[in-house]
Amino acid sequence: TPQYARDVYNGVVDKLRADCGSRALLPSQLYKDREVELRDTCSVYTTTNSVHRSSCIENYYQCGLQDTRHNMLLELISQMINESCYNQLRTKEQLGYIVFSGVRRSNGAQGLRVIVQSDRHPQYLDERIESYLSGAVTTFEEMKETEFKQHVEALAHKRLEKPKKLSV
């Protein structure tokens, strides 16, 4: 219901103001395109919902500003972990209902993100995501050149396909 949505929204706003010291931006700070450089290596914000027991975590690894070379490298990494991330976190560890990994771009900045919706505590999910990514680094280091080339060719094929929708 609209009233429930307003109550949830107001609860989130109150929680952010109380726990994080957030406040409204000044009119001179309101820009259409705005992105924050994440300087803290790890920021975790949690809140409790008395209606639903489930939780969600999004680990976002900001990589800097968008440019052609960095865009393709990030997409290549995303493609290389996509299937194994889902397989490890969703299928093998059965951590959540939703497991997603991919690129996040906003207002010129970009990064890799992993999202898990689960009934487990976000701290535990964070530990499992970090463990998976540590293993992925090892996998990248040990990857044979032929397998790496397959990933590069698959990404090139994907990027050269004609768009199937109007938005990018």
Side-chain angles (χ1 to χ4, degrees), residues 26-90:
L26 298 171
S28 63
Q29 295 173 310
L30 295 173
Y31 297 105
K32 181 179 178 189
D33 296 328
R34 182 182 174 98
E35 192 73 15
V36 176
E37 179 180 356
L38 300 175
R39 295 181 188 271
D40 188 5
T41 57
C42 181
S43 298
V44 177
Y45 301 102
T46 61
T47 188
T48 304
N49 181 335
S50 60
V51 178
H52 299 286
R53 185 174 176 261
S54 65
S55 66
C56 183
I57 186 168
E58 176 178 358
N59 283 18
Y60 173 60
Y61 306 90
Q62 194 175 54
C63 302
L65 299 177
Q66 296 179 40
D67 70 39
T68 304
R69 184 173 189 279
H70 290 117
N71 293 359
M72 288 301 104
L73 290 173
L74 184 57
E75 286 187 31
L76 181 60
I77 290 169
S78 174
Q79 176 184 299
M80 291 167 69
I81 72 164
N82 193 344
E83 186 177 323
S84 66
C85 181
Y86 183 88
N87 187 42
Q88 179 64 37
L89 300 178
R90 172 73 170 95

Side-chain angles (χ1 to χ4, degrees), residues 110-125:
Q110 64 182 347
L112 182 69
R113 68 180 174 177
V114 178
I115 299 172
V116 178
Q117 181 182 346
S118 176
D119 59 1
R120 302 281 186 95
H121 192 277
Q123 186 63 42
Y124 178 75
L125 298 174

Side-chain angles (χ1 to χ4, degrees), residues 119-159:
D119 59 1
R120 302 281 186 95
H121 192 277
Q123 186 63 42
Y124 178 75
L125 298 174
D126 178 58
E127 291 168 7
R128 299 313 310 143
I129 291 168
E130 291 294 330
S131 176
Y132 163 75
L133 290 174
S134 293
V137 169
T138 303
T139 301
F140 292 163
E141 292 170 345
E142 296 172 354
M143 185 178 290
K144 294 185 177 7
E145 188 172 340
T146 54
E147 186 180 354
F148 178 76
K149 285 182 178 179
Q150 288 175 338
H151 283 292
V152 170
E153 289 174 16
L155 179 60
H157 178 74
K158 177 181 169 184
R159 298 300 292 165

